Amino acid sequence: MSKEIERPNTTALWHTKTADEAIRETASSREGLTSEEAKRRLERYGKNEIGGKDGVNPWLLLWEQFSDFMIVVLVIAAIVAASVGDVVEAIAILVIVVLAGVLGFLQEYRAGKAIESLKKMASPKASVLRDGKEIAVPSDQIVPGDVLIIHTGDRVAADARLIEAKNLKTDEAALTGESLPVEKTVEPLPDKEASVGDRKNMLYMGSASSYGKGAAVVTATGMQTEFGKIADLLQSAEKRKTPLQENLDALGRKLGVFSIALAAVISVVGLLQGYTFVEMFIWGVALAVGIIPEALPAVVTISLALGVRRMVKRRALVRKLPAVETLGATRIICSDKTGTLTKDEMTARKIYAGGDVYVVEGAGYKPEGAIKLAGKSISLAEHEDLRLLLEGGALCSDTKLTNEKEWDIVGDPTEGAVIVAAEKAGVSVEELRKSRPRADEVPFSSERKMMTTINETPDGRIAYAKGAPEVVLDKCSTWNYRGDAVPLDAGAREQIMAQAEAMGADALRVLGFAYRKAAEGDAENSEKDMVFAGLVGMIDPPRPEAIEAIKVCERAGIKPVMITGDHKITAVAVAKELGVLKGGDAISGAELERMSEEEFERRANHTEVFARISPEHKLKIVDALMRKDNVVAMTGDGVNDAPALKKADIGVAMGITGTDVSKEAADMILTDDNFASIVSAVEEGRGIFENIRKYLVFLLSGNMGTVFGLIATLFAGLPLPLYAVHILFINFIMDGLIAIALGVEPPEPGIMDKRPRNVKEGILNPPSLWYIGLIGLWIGAITFGVFAWHIGFDSKPPADVEAEAVTLFFLTLIFARLFNGFSCRSPYQSSFKLGFFSNPALLVSSFVSLALTVAVSYFAFMQEVMQLVWLKGELWLIAAGTAFSLFIVVEVWKLLRKEPRR
């Protein structure tokens, strides 16, 4: 074995080669490699391990958080606030900045852990043939050409071509998404385009043997394996910024530039009117700080965090806060089938017995549901053929039905479907097995494709068999028809197989059942001249709540797409039943491979089902959908899903069946693996985005009102109506208390009856900008009006009159912004319809804000600091009354305008 070889071609179609060809092309033998040759190959090819890129420098990552434009503007604002004496404001801003930066750092630092989880799935030890002997070696020492020895329970250490297989089944769910163990063979497969899941003569790193034993020659190690390719995809899958992050970054830049420019212009106007440079500098800085929404990171974080708490109650655990809001913009949800859209509980749907087709109702392992014939529920006592089939199926089974916390099975899912159907018909499987104990059996094998048990019954020994319909039928000479055992002629065989094919066309997995009297100690001969009992067709049924959730998606303008490792016929049948497939395309992995990039790009948006899909395909699908400007959510539970989960705008992992790799790559984890929970999370995401928008509309309309009022007084040649300390005080109560209260506003009714928002239009859409402009003008008009009225439009009024006018401007502005807080709870629905008590936080915040305003106006020491005076009662009423006009105007506006369907 000293011959030098090139690394085996990992793109070679190993599944199409014979076992001997695979051995020859890897320069190996059935006795494995020699120790010396294995050592040489290890030096040549490297260790059998999953590599990873160098980790991200945590200090660099931390610096990136604090170099964000919005954060920089806020830091400058804090310095300026401190320089004008407002230390409390400065500290508050810096606390917000630090919290936002640290939170972002922790989220991104954790996101790099997926590769580590992938490495942990590799087997620590592996059995190989070295020098003709079976030995255990560390899995990272495996080299191409090694012969792996696989026993039940072993984890496969590398990709390999089987050269021996004895009833071998492997669990490849983490890699391919196939929910049931895969029967393996050593025979070459002619289909060159067979997907990884269909290559039944191959073993793959990370999969595990669930039954039988085998031997395989290693064809790929380390990063050349299918696992390695996934790791490479995972490293190269870049995450784009969320729509909210992009919107807020752009908004922060615009507001920063706008506030500084506006403050500079107004300060220059003030200088031209005779104010000192120091006065206007301090005033201009205060105005710039007042315009910038420094509580925005806090409001966003609080809104997202509260949304996360609500989502936990709805069985969705969010790992990365921005994901909550991104869900609200989701246009496409790419979902796995098994366990997410379906129950992952095989359920009998149809039974063919005695020439009749029975329909079985109910879904999952809970033994509830009627068995019907021609639409009517039946009694088992009146249907002898059905009783014989169900009792035989229950006895020829090793699976048990349990009910600890919920109904479940211990054993094989297909057997579980049969015993649950028997229980639904009134058969007590446990009592039946006690009364008819098993005496002997002929176990299932992949070559025989059937299983037979011999049971002691009151009628003597009976052999019960189940297996592939054509195999079981071939063992029979008679069949139960209308209560009698009649000869099984060619016509009857065609009739039975036609029923089996019809069930298969409905994507049902079909088993055939038979029985006969058995002689003692003659189990093998019991599989001759049997009586055919019938067929059972079963499927992993759709979750009822998933069907309802898909209807909600349709109303909400969200397109669900099924991406599954199952065969196309099964995927299409389930998709139609769920309501996912409604006139769109269904494409298999093999068909996708044959498409050009342009053709796939064109068809991707119109495809509703992708079947028999590989990891590369999933990444390609997500990438194509995202390039069409869709916000895409992708669900997954296996290692094979991790790259697509990371690439998608929202990666959703399964909490129950999901691998650690998929969870680390995901933004959100479903604790119940249920598609309906994703839709609930979308609703929360929409509500959170609307709250952030409401906060900004409230804040900016109030800030613009302040600016318009100041501009009006300056250009009218009147004294300054507001001092720097006033701007900072209003900024504190409005940007803090009221704004954060709006951030916890409950979602509006009918939020899932709208189409997803257009992420390109930004967080401030045209209606929001109109509101900010018009309400800003209204606030500016009423504040300027009361100020000018009180001083009689005198540019140099008496000091006491000017002090009263400044206080009146101050109070009117605060009252107007408080009323505006209630108006901003909904852009279209009346405050009376929403109810004033439905947001207690806003009521409390308004009361506290009002109390603080009264305090600074009333107490002498505060009056001196704030440069305010106590006003007569009628002036308080004028301030409140003119401000209330804003609330009336907005209510009339809402009454006249209609809410558009997005």
Side-chain angles (χ1 to χ4, degrees), residues 172-242:
E172 298 178 354
L175 184 65
T176 66
E178 176 59 58
S179 57
L180 297 175
V182 180
E183 292 181 23
K184 292 297 180 177
T185 179
V186 298
E187 298 302 318
L189 303 173
D191 185 3
K192 293 183 179 181
E193 297 179 346
S195 66
V196 169
D198 289 326
R199 297 174 186 177
K200 296 187 177 181
N201 53 16
M202 297 291 295
L203 298 178
Y204 295 102
M205 176 190 277
S207 61
S209 169
S210 57
Y211 190 81
K213 58 184 179 180
V217 61
V218 173
T219 57
T221 58
M223 294 298 285
Q224 304 299 316
T225 64
E226 293 297 324
F227 246 44
K229 293 174 186 175
I230 291 170
D232 191 50
L233 290 171
L234 196 54
Q235 292 170 11
S236 61
E238 295 182 359
K239 193 81 173 177
R240 69 183 183 185
K241 281 190 172 183
T242 69

Side-chain angles (χ1 to χ4, degrees), residues 7 42 45-50 139-142 221-223:
R7 176 184 286 275
L42 184 63
Y45 304 135
K47 288 187 176 183
N48 175 38
E49 58 187 7
I50 303 298
S139 63
D140 63 0
Q141 304 295 304
I142 300 295
T221 58
M223 294 298 285

Side-chain angles (χ1 to χ4, degrees), residues 613-632:
I613 292 301
S614 72
E616 292 90 344
H617 294 153
K618 290 187 177 184
L619 199 58
K620 188 175 180 180
I621 292 164
V622 169
D623 192 48
L625 293 173
M626 289 171 68
R627 281 203 301 270
K628 293 287 187 180
D629 294 326
N630 295 301
V631 176
V632 179

Side-chain angles (χ1 to χ4, degrees), residues 430-508:
E430 188 175 353
E431 292 299 322
L432 180 70
R433 288 174 175 172
K434 285 180 182 177
S435 65
R436 302 184 181 185
R438 186 177 300 181
D440 200 355
E441 69 178 280
V442 184
F444 177 89
S445 74
S446 54
E447 290 79 18
R448 287 170 11 87
K449 293 187 177 180
M450 67 180 293
M451 167 187 178
T452 301
T453 64
I454 313 294
N455 294 73
E456 300 284 0
T457 77
D459 299 321
R461 288 195 164 204
I462 304 290
Y464 296 100
K466 74 168 186 295
E470 67 279 7
V471 173
V472 173
L473 191 60
D474 195 47
K475 304 290 185 182
C476 299
S477 57
T478 57
W479 71 307
N480 285 335
Y481 183 73
R482 302 286 191 264
D484 294 315
V486 298
L488 195 57
D489 56 21
R493 291 179 187 275
E494 287 179 11
Q495 182 179 334
I496 292 167
M497 288 309 299
Q499 286 292 337
E501 290 167 8
M503 289 183 184
D506 289 336
L508 300 181

